[in-house]
Amino acid sequence: MTTRVLVAPTEVTSSLIGAKTTNSLDASSTGSLPFLRLPHPRTGIPSLFLANDNAPSTSKQDASQHQLLEVQAISPDVNRSWFLSDDTVVQDGKLLVLTPIDPIFLLVPLLEPVSSTAQFRPLDDIFEEATEKVNATLSELSVPDCPPISAEDVSSFARLSSVRSAVERICEKKDLTEDLSVHRFSKAKFLEVVKVKTDRIADPSAFDSFSSLTRSLAKDGLFTEKCALNSALQKAGRQRVACDILSQYLSPSLSEELIQLYNFDELNQHLEAMKQEDAALAAAQAVKANEETSGKQKQKSTATKKGKAKNQPSRGVTQLTKANVEGMAKLSSFFTKKAK
């Protein structure tokens, strides 16, 4: 049996081990939760998600947050292992992280391709056609070693109570009879829900509690004394960061439509001004570096010329080399012994 190190919400780990607390590791009570391969809302490439429809919750909102989780594997840069408290060693150093995800993001790549007909249809028919269209799109992407999405996985996903609840939030609905309802995906309703999430992230009470988010504002120069007096500019900065976060689970076209719901004109002007200032500073530094390099080369050239000048013979020596010394005695002859 392969052991993995996993980080997940308490409710999920309790369901995984079939106990009320994560400290109970009774293998006989271990539950089995289905892993589903579904298209990622941003890329369309199949990704792994965990369905936990039996997660304990105190409200419908809690249930929707903990019934579906994204599975992510964080791989170390080098080979590593885990040393556990029971003196066992897990050779695989990957860290599996299970994070709750709102089902509306996973519904969009399934519902949007079949919404072009603009017809109200039963959900079962919608999901059946959605599987075919998603796999057709996947084949066009030519992703290596990527089997098609299973109709069984899509069906299991559609049966989750949290998914049924999410459908009501982003689809238009008509009740034909007491037992039969038809739905149609509404992009406007979906963007409205996503905008509420964006505003919630951008709220200072939530935003300022994450240092990674506030650092992004500092990087954009929104923590300067000048920007501190412009609350609207800082608000736009927080909204843009929130849009970027949620865009990780939106297609490029939907991400652009989300951004269009906000007015980022002043923020864009500020960022463009910062970009120009950075470019001017970089140009000034390049000019200064060139001047310093040119100055050093000039000093080196001058020193070389002076060195060459020192090595050149004087005018008197040059004239002596040109004198006619024929018939003259050599200097060495004055230092020889005279013949007796």
Side-chain angles (χ1 to χ4, degrees), residues 2-229:
T2 304
T3 303
R4 295 283 187 271
V5 177
L6 177 145
V7 177
T10 304
E11 296 85 351
V12 178
T13 54
S14 297
S15 297
L16 284 172
I17 64 177
K20 294 183 179 180
T21 64
T22 55
N23 295 327
S24 177
L25 299 178
D26 182 8
S28 62
S29 63
T30 301
S32 176
L33 299 178
F35 285 92
L36 308 176
R37 289 179 69 254
L38 300 170
H40 192 278
R42 180 172 58 87
T43 63
I45 298 175
S47 302
L48 200 60
F49 299 89
L50 177 67
N52 185 29
D53 206 27
N54 297 321
S57 60
T58 57
S59 67
K60 292 182 178 180
Q61 183 178 1
D62 291 338
S64 65
Q65 291 298 315
H66 294 292
Q67 287 179 347
L68 199 64
L69 299 104
E70 181 182 13
V71 182
Q72 294 179 314
I74 302 176
S75 300
D77 296 334
V78 295
N79 292 332
R80 296 183 183 275
S81 300
W82 291 98
F83 292 85
L84 305 184
S85 58
D86 58 352
D87 295 332
T88 59
V89 178
V90 179
Q91 184 177 1
D92 190 347
K94 290 190 182 71
L95 175 64
L96 298 182
V97 180
L98 271 62
T99 52
I101 182 172
D102 194 323
I104 65 168
F105 295 106
L106 300 181
L107 281 169
V108 172
L110 295 173
L111 300 180
E112 193 174 26
V114 298
S115 64
S116 57
T117 59
Q119 294 179 349
F120 286 86
R121 303 171 58 187
L123 282 179
D124 293 340
D125 294 349
I126 292 176
F127 284 115
E128 182 178 352
E129 183 181 351
T131 305
E132 298 175 359
K133 291 203 171 186
V134 165
N135 285 328
T137 303
L138 185 60
S139 62
E140 295 175 358
L141 295 176
S142 300
V143 181
D145 300 326
C146 184
I149 298 292
S150 168
E152 183 179 352
D153 282 353
V154 175
S155 179
S156 299
F157 169 72
R159 287 195 300 268
L160 294 174
S161 59
S162 59
V163 174
R164 295 287 176 167
S165 175
V167 167
E168 304 296 327
R169 295 155 57 199
I170 63 173
C171 290
E172 300 173 356
K173 177 183 178 182
K174 287 184 178 180
D175 293 324
L176 301 182
T177 65
E178 186 177 349
D179 299 326
L180 179 61
S181 300
V182 289
H183 295 78
R184 180 176 64 187
F185 173 67
S186 172
K187 184 185 294 185
K189 292 185 68 173
F190 171 76
L191 289 174
E192 182 180 348
V193 174
V194 175
K195 188 177 185 299
V196 171
K197 293 179 179 292
T198 305
D199 294 338
R200 192 180 303 161
I201 296 174
D203 187 273
S205 61
F207 191 96
D208 295 343
S209 61
F210 295 94
S211 58
S212 59
L213 300 183
T214 55
R215 281 197 300 268
S216 63
L217 292 186
K219 182 185 67 175
D220 292 336
L222 295 175
F223 275 171
T224 61
E225 184 177 352
K226 178 180 178 181
C227 293
L229 301 176

